[in-house]
């Protein structure tokens, strides 16, 4: 398998695992495990992938650059923790917006903010754990892999 195909396979597997688990939590928080749960979850997951996949890489590069510039005195491990925290908040905010709109449509602003907040908070602990794990363990290994390709 070529290095290019390996890179794509790695990125796709991360998107599926992380996006799938977080949208599952968000959908569950919004509608519970009802009869329509599976369809609602799959549509939220698909919309999140369509929204996040194209911009996730750009957000990651910009965030990493800003963290390195703003927190230049921190160690690499500390920078990776900050990066993971910031990425979790940004990406989950976007996923919560998409999931809330998908499940409830466009609402009056205060109702939307209430539902978005509950959606965001429900998946934030898992998102923080995943993001910090990604930035401390996976990101350094991926950097080595990308450099070899």
């Amino acid at each position: 398998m070529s290095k290019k195909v390996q890179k794509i396979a790695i990125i796709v597997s991360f998107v599926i695992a992380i996006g799938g688990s977080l949208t599952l939590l968000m959908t569950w928080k919004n509608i519970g495990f009802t009869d329509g749960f599976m369809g609602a979850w799959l549509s939220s997951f698909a919309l999140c992938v369509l929204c996040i996949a194209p911009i996730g890489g750009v957000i990651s590069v910009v965030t990493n650059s800003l963290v390195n510039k703003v927190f230049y005195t921190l160690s690499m491990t500390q920078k990776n923790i900050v990066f993971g925290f910031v990425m979790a908040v940004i990406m989950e905010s976007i996923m919560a917006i998409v999931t809330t709109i998908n499940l409830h449509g466009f609402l009056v602003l205060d109702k939307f903010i209430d539902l978005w907040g509950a959606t965001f908070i429900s998946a934030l602990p898992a998102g923080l754990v995943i993001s910090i794990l990604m930035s401390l363990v996976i990101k350094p290994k991926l950097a080595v892999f990308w450099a070899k390709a």
Side-chain angles (χ1 to χ4, degrees), residues 42-135:
L42 288 173
S43 66
S44 290
F45 172 62
L47 288 170
C48 284
V49 168
L50 290 173
C51 290
I52 289 176
I55 62 172
V58 173
I59 291 170
S60 177
V61 169
V62 170
T63 300
N64 195 47
S65 176
L66 286 172
V67 167
N68 285 326
K69 286 178 185 172
V70 173
F71 299 102
Y72 60 91
T73 59
L74 297 180
S75 71
M76 187 55 70
T77 301
Q78 291 169 324
K79 287 178 188 176
N80 283 338
I81 291 170
V82 171
F83 172 81
F85 180 81
V86 171
M87 284 300 293
V89 170
I90 292 170
M91 300 304 273
E92 285 202 43
S93 293
I94 296 167
M95 290 173 72
I97 289 168
V98 171
T99 300
T100 302
I101 291 170
N102 181 53
L103 298 175
H104 301 289
F106 292 96
L107 305 166
V108 177
L109 185 59
D110 58 336
K111 181 73 172 163
F112 174 80
I113 290 171
D114 289 345
L115 287 168
W116 170 83
T119 302
F120 175 72
I121 295 298
S122 69
L124 187 59
L128 287 171
V129 169
I130 291 168
S131 192
I132 300 231
L133 177 68
M134 288 285 295
S135 61

